[in-house]
Amino acid sequence: MKVLVAVKRVVDYNVKVRVKSDNTGVDIANVKMSMNPFDEIAVEEAVRLKEKGVVTEIIAVSCGITQCSETLRTAMAIGADRAILVETAEELQPLAVAKLLKALVDKEQPGLIILGKQAIDDDCNQTGQMLAALGDMPQATFASKVEVADGKATVSREVDGGMETLSISLPAVITTDLRLNEPRYVTLPNIMKAKKKQLDIFKPEDLGVDVSPRIKTLKVSEPPKRSAGIKVPDVATLVAKLKTEAKVL
């Protein structure tokens, strides 16, 4: 079985982002970029399925600028067999990415598509669901455990009231949660091997997809600074302040 894994290049989660002075977006000049953590979990899960003998080939896919190839090399160092970069300088929104992935799914015919549940830059949590809808495929989101056997995937996921277990027929879309696994450390020999693995590059027009943005960002601003807390001497003062100042009682 072939598995397609989508990965996104984002600002590293350890970096404190800064808003541009003109409020048009986030400043990413000279900022460390890395693979979206949820996508790293998706690649790890695909590799584990391959190690179990369930999967035969893992294809990593990324959409964006040329530097996204570095993220794909990381995915191949973790264990992906080959990679595809859909190269474009356009701002890619979830629907455009879902359409690009749908075109690649039609081309590659994978038995399973695994994505991170969301990207840590836009936090949209939409691409996996949109891809499943476009491809008319079953989906299981926020997966915390995945087992594949006999043409079906059994997925455990967290819901508000506890845990839910779904059985879905393949091909299907699965989006990963943090509890699914812990990605392995990428070793230097594997990084060197990844440099020799196949990386194909397409343009959106090669796949017949229009990636023009549908949503316009009007303004990006820092959240308001929170004022410091205060200490009160007793409960009576606390209740009084909640009534008169906070007006929550």
XYZ file of all heavy atoms in Angstrom, residues 164-235:
562
model
N -13.207 7.979 21.078
C -14.079 7.428 20.049
C -13.213 6.582 19.118
O -12.098 6.968 18.781
C -14.730 8.575 19.264
C -15.641 8.137 18.143
C -16.253 9.327 17.419
O -15.508 10.054 16.737
O -17.482 9.524 17.535
N -13.702 5.410 18.721
C -12.962 4.545 17.793
C -13.755 4.406 16.506
O -14.935 4.042 16.527
C -12.699 3.164 18.403
O -11.973 3.327 19.632
C -11.866 2.310 17.464
N -13.103 4.723 15.384
C -13.752 4.647 14.079
C -13.100 3.564 13.241
O -11.886 3.347 13.298
C -13.617 5.984 13.341
C -14.192 7.240 14.004
C -13.858 8.468 13.145
C -15.689 7.125 14.189
N -13.905 2.891 12.441
C -13.391 1.946 11.445
C -13.732 2.516 10.075
O -14.915 2.723 9.766
C -14.035 0.568 11.627
O -13.568 -0.312 10.620
N -12.723 2.818 9.274
C -12.957 3.431 7.971
C -12.322 2.580 6.876
O -11.267 1.980 7.064
C -12.407 4.875 7.911
C -10.929 4.932 8.340
C -13.233 5.804 8.789
C -10.296 6.312 8.220
N -12.988 2.523 5.733
C -12.458 1.759 4.601
C -11.449 2.609 3.846
O -11.553 3.836 3.804
C -13.597 1.314 3.681
O -14.357 2.434 3.273
N -10.469 1.967 3.245
C -9.425 2.655 2.488
C -9.812 2.721 1.008
O -10.522 1.857 0.523
C -8.092 1.924 2.663
C -7.615 1.764 4.115
C -6.291 1.027 4.160
C -7.482 3.101 4.814
N -9.385 3.741 0.264
C -8.517 4.855 0.675
C -9.247 5.833 1.592
O -10.457 6.018 1.493
C -8.130 5.502 -0.657
C -9.245 5.158 -1.580
C -9.724 3.802 -1.163
N -8.477 6.463 2.491
C -9.063 7.354 3.476
C -8.073 8.450 3.850
O -6.883 8.368 3.547
C -9.466 6.565 4.719
N -8.603 9.472 4.535
C -7.782 10.589 5.022
C -7.746 10.531 6.548
O -8.783 10.405 7.191
C -8.371 11.946 4.571
C -7.565 13.100 5.165
C -8.399 12.050 3.053
N -6.531 10.603 7.100
C -6.371 10.627 8.559
C -5.571 11.876 8.926
O -4.555 12.172 8.289
C -5.638 9.366 9.065
C -6.506 8.119 8.857
C -5.268 9.501 10.545
C -5.819 6.815 9.225
N -6.042 12.619 9.937
C -5.254 13.753 10.444
C -4.782 13.427 11.853
O -5.515 12.840 12.645
C -6.052 15.078 10.434
O -7.105 15.024 11.392
C -6.645 15.343 9.056
N -3.547 13.800 12.154
C -2.878 13.342 13.382
C -2.962 14.345 14.520
O -2.899 15.551 14.315
C -1.396 13.060 13.096
O -0.765 14.279 12.683
C -1.233 12.031 12.002
N -3.072 13.811 15.725
C -3.031 14.615 16.944
C -1.675 14.407 17.620
O -0.919 13.499 17.257
C -4.172 14.188 17.879
C -4.619 15.320 18.795
O -3.871 16.311 18.900
O -5.696 15.208 19.401
N -1.377 15.215 18.620
C -0.066 15.153 19.291
C 0.173 13.818 19.981
O 1.298 13.379 20.120
C 0.052 16.287 20.316
C 0.329 17.683 19.750
C 0.266 18.721 20.867
C 1.685 17.742 19.069
N -0.890 13.165 20.466
C -0.723 11.940 21.254
C -0.494 10.696 20.399
O -0.327 9.609 20.933
C -1.946 11.726 22.163
C -2.032 12.729 23.291
C -3.262 12.484 24.156
N -3.331 13.420 25.269
C -3.789 14.658 25.178
N -4.230 15.097 24.022
N -3.822 15.454 26.223
N -0.512 10.840 19.083
C -0.378 9.657 18.221
C 0.988 8.986 18.378
O 1.084 7.768 18.500
C -0.615 10.059 16.761
C -0.537 8.948 15.718
C -1.511 7.820 16.031
C -0.822 9.517 14.326
N 2.053 9.760 18.386
C 3.402 9.188 18.543
C 4.393 10.301 18.871
O 4.028 11.476 18.901
C 3.837 8.453 17.264
C 3.906 9.377 16.051
O 4.543 10.431 16.087
N 3.246 9.001 14.965
N 5.635 9.892 19.092
C 6.724 10.857 19.272
C 7.722 10.658 18.140
O 8.325 9.579 18.033
C 7.410 10.654 20.627
C 8.421 11.741 20.930
C 8.994 11.629 22.346
O 8.294 11.131 23.247
O 10.152 12.032 22.527
N 7.866 11.649 17.231
C 8.766 11.479 16.081
C 10.190 11.143 16.495
O 10.683 11.626 17.512
C 8.705 12.841 15.381
C 7.402 13.417 15.802
C 7.187 12.939 17.215
N 10.827 10.305 15.704
C 12.197 9.868 15.991
C 13.205 10.978 15.716
O 12.928 11.913 14.964
C 12.526 8.634 15.157
C 12.610 8.888 13.652
C 12.591 7.591 12.872
N 11.313 6.903 13.075
C 11.098 5.633 12.743
N 12.064 4.912 12.182
N 9.915 5.073 12.935
N 14.364 10.838 16.319
C 15.464 11.766 16.085
C 16.059 11.456 14.713
O 16.320 10.293 14.376
C 16.514 11.609 17.182
C 17.725 12.490 17.016
C 17.653 13.854 17.300
C 18.936 11.973 16.565
C 18.751 14.674 17.140
C 20.048 12.775 16.396
C 19.946 14.128 16.688
O 21.049 14.940 16.527
N 16.262 12.485 13.910
C 16.810 12.297 12.565
C 18.333 12.212 12.644
O 18.987 13.154 13.102
C 16.391 13.455 11.636
C 16.951 13.233 10.236
C 14.876 13.566 11.576
N 18.876 11.086 12.221
C 20.328 10.873 12.305
C 21.047 11.439 11.078
O 20.445 11.584 10.007
C 20.653 9.375 12.428
O 20.178 8.707 11.253
C 19.985 8.782 13.662
N 22.328 11.723 11.242
C 23.127 12.280 10.146
C 23.193 11.338 8.935
O 23.035 11.798 7.800
C 24.535 12.626 10.652
C 25.457 13.299 9.625
C 24.861 14.613 9.135
C 26.839 13.545 10.229
N 23.407 10.016 9.120
C 23.423 9.126 7.946
C 22.115 9.191 7.152
O 22.128 9.166 5.914
C 23.625 7.728 8.563
C 24.304 7.988 9.863
C 23.751 9.279 10.355
N 20.987 9.286 7.854
C 19.700 9.362 7.157
C 19.518 10.697 6.435
O 18.889 10.755 5.378
C 18.541 9.148 8.139
C 18.413 7.694 8.558
O 18.898 6.802 7.868
N 17.772 7.447 9.684
N 20.085 11.762 7.007
C 20.054 13.069 6.333
C 20.847 12.989 5.030
O 20.423 13.521 3.989
C 20.622 14.173 7.251
C 19.677 14.402 8.445
C 20.829 15.479 6.483
C 20.235 15.312 9.521
N 21.983 12.318 5.060
C 22.812 12.161 3.857
C 22.107 11.297 2.812
O 22.141 11.595 1.620
C 24.169 11.547 4.228
C 24.985 12.362 5.228
S 25.189 14.086 4.755
C 26.248 13.906 3.331
N 21.434 10.229 3.265
C 20.697 9.363 2.335
C 19.544 10.111 1.682
O 19.230 9.905 0.507
C 20.141 8.134 3.080
C 21.180 7.107 3.458
C 20.530 5.987 4.266
C 21.584 5.048 4.845
N 20.969 4.051 5.762
N 18.903 11.005 2.454
C 17.748 11.755 1.947
C 18.120 12.640 0.768
O 17.291 12.910 -0.104
C 17.140 12.591 3.066
N 19.380 13.085 0.733
C 19.827 13.954 -0.361
C 19.817 13.241 -1.709
O 19.771 13.885 -2.758
C 21.232 14.488 -0.066
C 21.262 15.474 1.097
C 22.650 16.003 1.341
C 22.671 17.007 2.493
N 24.021 17.525 2.784
N 19.877 11.903 -1.670
C 19.924 11.120 -2.915
C 18.546 10.595 -3.328
O 18.406 10.001 -4.387
C 20.881 9.939 -2.744
C 22.322 10.362 -2.480
C 23.226 9.159 -2.282
C 24.657 9.596 -1.980
N 25.542 8.424 -1.720
N 17.545 10.824 -2.478
C 16.212 10.309 -2.801
C 15.510 11.209 -3.818
O 15.815 12.387 -3.955
C 15.366 10.196 -1.517
C 15.836 9.084 -0.591
C 14.924 8.930 0.622
C 15.379 7.795 1.528
N 14.525 7.639 2.720
N 14.548 10.633 -4.503
C 13.856 11.314 -5.596
C 12.964 12.447 -5.082
O 12.166 12.263 -4.176
C 13.003 10.291 -6.362
C 12.229 10.866 -7.540
C 11.371 9.804 -8.213
O 11.589 8.608 -8.025
N 10.405 10.241 -8.992
N 13.104 13.623 -5.705
C 12.253 14.766 -5.386
C 11.727 15.341 -6.699
O 12.477 15.910 -7.485
C 13.047 15.825 -4.611
C 12.362 17.169 -4.354
C 11.070 16.990 -3.561
C 13.286 18.136 -3.633
N 10.437 15.162 -6.944
C 9.798 15.668 -8.169
C 9.180 17.028 -7.890
O 8.643 17.272 -6.806
C 8.710 14.703 -8.647
C 9.283 13.332 -8.997
O 10.361 13.283 -9.624
O 8.661 12.315 -8.636
N 9.249 17.921 -8.886
C 8.700 19.271 -8.729
C 7.635 19.519 -9.790
O 7.849 19.269 -10.981
C 9.808 20.342 -8.830
C 10.852 20.132 -7.720
C 9.222 21.742 -8.747
C 12.051 21.055 -7.794
N 6.463 19.975 -9.333
C 5.374 20.340 -10.222
C 4.978 21.782 -9.955
O 5.269 22.338 -8.901
C 4.148 19.436 -9.994
C 4.357 17.998 -10.349
C 4.688 17.074 -9.358
C 4.227 17.553 -11.649
C 4.878 15.741 -9.668
C 4.424 16.228 -11.972
C 4.746 15.310 -10.988
N 4.282 22.373 -10.903
C 3.644 23.674 -10.711
C 2.141 23.424 -10.590
O 1.625 22.427 -11.112
C 3.912 24.589 -11.914
C 5.384 24.868 -12.171
C 5.936 25.875 -11.194
C 7.380 26.261 -11.568
N 7.993 27.117 -10.539
N 1.391 24.316 -9.920
C -0.062 24.125 -9.817
C -0.734 23.957 -11.175
O -1.664 23.152 -11.332
C -0.533 25.406 -9.112
C 0.635 25.840 -8.306
C 1.838 25.489 -9.135
N -0.243 24.707 -12.184
C -0.849 24.600 -13.519
C -0.615 23.222 -14.150
O -1.425 22.762 -14.966
C -0.350 25.715 -14.445
C 1.147 25.939 -14.456
C 1.628 26.962 -13.439
O 0.984 27.119 -12.385
O 2.676 27.593 -13.702
N 0.493 22.554 -13.761
C 0.740 21.187 -14.252
C -0.348 20.238 -13.766
O -0.657 19.236 -14.418
C 2.104 20.668 -13.762
C 3.264 21.511 -14.264
O 3.099 22.170 -15.318
O 4.323 21.516 -13.613
N -0.907 20.549 -12.588
C -1.944 19.699 -11.993
C -3.346 20.218 -12.291
O -4.347 19.639 -11.843
C -1.739 19.625 -10.474
C -0.376 19.095 -10.008
C -0.213 19.279 -8.508
C -0.212 17.629 -10.380
N -3.410 21.330 -13.041
C -4.711 21.889 -13.420
C -5.463 22.508 -12.253
O -6.693 22.453 -12.202
N -4.720 23.112 -11.324
C -5.354 23.672 -10.126
C -5.124 25.182 -10.060
O -3.995 25.654 -10.243
C -4.789 23.011 -8.838
C -5.406 23.661 -7.594
C -5.063 21.520 -8.841
N -6.193 25.925 -9.797
C -6.106 27.370 -9.586
C -5.923 27.618 -8.088
O -6.788 27.255 -7.288
C -7.396 28.040 -10.084
C -7.417 29.538 -9.799
O -6.334 30.101 -9.537
O -8.511 30.140 -9.816
N -4.805 28.221 -7.713
C -4.509 28.420 -6.280
C -4.698 29.875 -5.857
O -4.208 30.293 -4.802
C -3.072 27.953 -5.931
C -2.933 26.457 -6.118
C -2.020 28.711 -6.742
N -5.433 30.647 -6.648
C -5.662 32.050 -6.290
C -6.342 32.146 -4.926
O -7.305 31.417 -4.662
C -6.550 32.732 -7.337
O -5.964 32.620 -8.607
N -5.867 33.050 -4.052
C -6.473 33.170 -2.717
C -7.942 33.586 -2.784
O -8.319 34.416 -3.614
C -5.629 34.262 -2.051
C -4.354 34.315 -2.821
C -4.717 33.942 -4.217
N -8.767 32.985 -1.937
C -10.192 33.335 -1.851
C -10.452 34.287 -0.690
O -11.500 34.905 -0.620
C -11.030 32.067 -1.657
C -10.801 30.956 -2.691
C -11.242 31.405 -4.076
N -11.035 30.357 -5.049
C -11.988 29.456 -5.380
N -13.162 29.500 -4.788
N -11.736 28.542 -6.297
N -9.511 34.346 0.250
C -9.666 35.163 1.449
C -8.532 36.188 1.485
O -7.382 35.860 1.186
C -9.624 34.298 2.726
C -10.725 33.247 2.685
C -9.756 35.152 3.984
C -10.594 32.181 3.748
N -8.867 37.423 1.841
C -7.860 38.478 1.922
C -7.635 38.848 3.379
O -8.591 39.099 4.120
C -8.328 39.704 1.137
C -7.310 40.840 1.118
C -7.836 42.020 0.328
C -6.832 43.173 0.332
N -7.362 44.350 -0.389
N -6.368 38.852 3.793
C -6.030 39.273 5.157
C -5.997 40.794 5.200
O -5.211 41.427 4.479
C -4.660 38.715 5.582
O -4.682 37.288 5.480
C -4.327 39.113 7.012
N -6.841 41.385 6.025
C -6.915 42.836 6.110
C -5.849 43.407 7.029
O -5.222 44.423 6.727
C -8.299 43.267 6.607
C -9.485 42.843 5.731
C -10.788 43.292 6.355
C -9.345 43.404 4.316
N -5.609 42.737 8.163
C -4.669 43.268 9.128
C -4.211 42.180 10.083
O -5.001 41.318 10.463
C -5.346 44.406 9.925
C -4.441 45.115 10.921
C -5.207 46.196 11.669
C -4.331 46.894 12.696
N -5.075 47.888 13.479
N -2.948 42.204 10.445
C -2.398 41.296 11.453
C -1.838 42.151 12.577
O -1.058 43.075 12.326
C -1.288 40.395 10.865
C -0.686 39.508 11.941
C -1.832 39.530 9.733
N -2.245 41.881 13.800
C -1.771 42.694 14.923
C -1.441 41.817 16.123
O -1.933 40.694 16.236
C -2.823 43.739 15.316
O -4.049 43.113 15.653
N -0.604 42.339 16.982
C -0.239 41.643 18.221
C -1.452 41.598 19.147
O -2.266 42.524 19.163
C 0.894 42.394 18.939
C 2.204 42.425 18.182
C 3.135 41.298 18.589
O 2.703 40.420 19.359
O 4.282 41.302 18.130
N -1.603 40.529 19.940
C -2.683 40.531 20.925
C -2.422 41.607 21.976
O -1.266 41.931 22.251
C -2.612 39.124 21.540
C -1.233 38.645 21.256
C -0.813 39.294 19.980
N -3.476 42.169 22.554
C -3.255 43.213 23.570
C -2.493 42.669 24.767
O -2.687 41.516 25.167
C -4.682 43.635 23.967
C -5.559 42.492 23.553
C -4.900 41.880 22.369
N -1.612 43.499 25.294
C -0.813 43.068 26.447
C -1.712 42.915 27.675
O -2.574 43.758 27.936
C 0.297 44.077 26.740
C 1.443 43.982 25.742
C 2.610 44.844 26.178
C 3.863 44.510 25.399
N 3.706 44.587 23.957
N -1.498 41.826 28.404
C -2.309 41.579 29.594
C -1.752 42.373 30.764
O -0.541 42.424 30.977
C -2.307 40.091 29.927
C -2.963 39.236 28.845
C -2.832 37.759 29.121
N -3.524 37.356 30.334
C -3.550 36.105 30.780
N -2.908 35.169 30.121
N -4.197 35.804 31.878
N -2.648 42.981 31.522
C -2.195 43.743 32.695
C -1.816 42.782 33.818
O -2.328 41.656 33.898
C -3.302 44.688 33.158
O -4.486 43.967 33.422
N -0.938 43.235 34.682
C -0.469 42.382 35.777
C -1.589 42.132 36.778
O -2.488 42.962 36.957
C 0.706 43.056 36.470
N -1.535 40.971 37.423
C -2.529 40.654 38.444
C -2.253 41.391 39.751
O -1.185 42.000 39.923
N -3.220 41.373 40.640
C -3.042 42.013 41.946
C -3.371 41.017 43.052
O -4.102 40.048 42.826
C -3.926 43.269 42.103
C -5.416 42.888 41.933
C -3.547 44.353 41.107
C -6.368 43.980 42.342
N -2.818 41.252 44.229
C -3.127 40.419 45.392
C -4.165 41.136 46.246
O -4.118 42.359 46.410
C -1.865 40.169 46.222
C -0.878 39.218 45.571
C 0.311 38.952 46.486
C 1.296 37.981 45.845
N 2.457 37.707 46.720
N -5.110 40.376 46.788
C -6.117 40.961 47.683
C -5.947 40.358 49.075
O -5.547 39.200 49.215
C -7.551 40.703 47.156
C -7.801 41.467 45.873
C -7.801 39.223 46.924
N -6.234 41.132 50.107
C -5.970 40.651 51.470
C -6.941 39.588 51.960
O -6.589 38.750 52.780
C -6.083 41.922 52.316
C -6.973 42.827 51.521
C -6.679 42.530 50.085
N -8.186 39.601 51.439
C -9.177 38.638 51.942
C -10.256 38.391 50.897
O -10.315 39.047 49.849
C -9.799 39.142 53.251
C -10.296 40.583 53.120
O -10.931 40.890 52.097
O -10.023 41.390 54.038
N -11.135 37.427 51.209
C -12.193 37.019 50.273
C -13.184 38.154 50.051
O -13.671 38.371 48.932
C -12.924 35.760 50.814
C -14.107 35.408 49.913
C -11.962 34.590 50.897
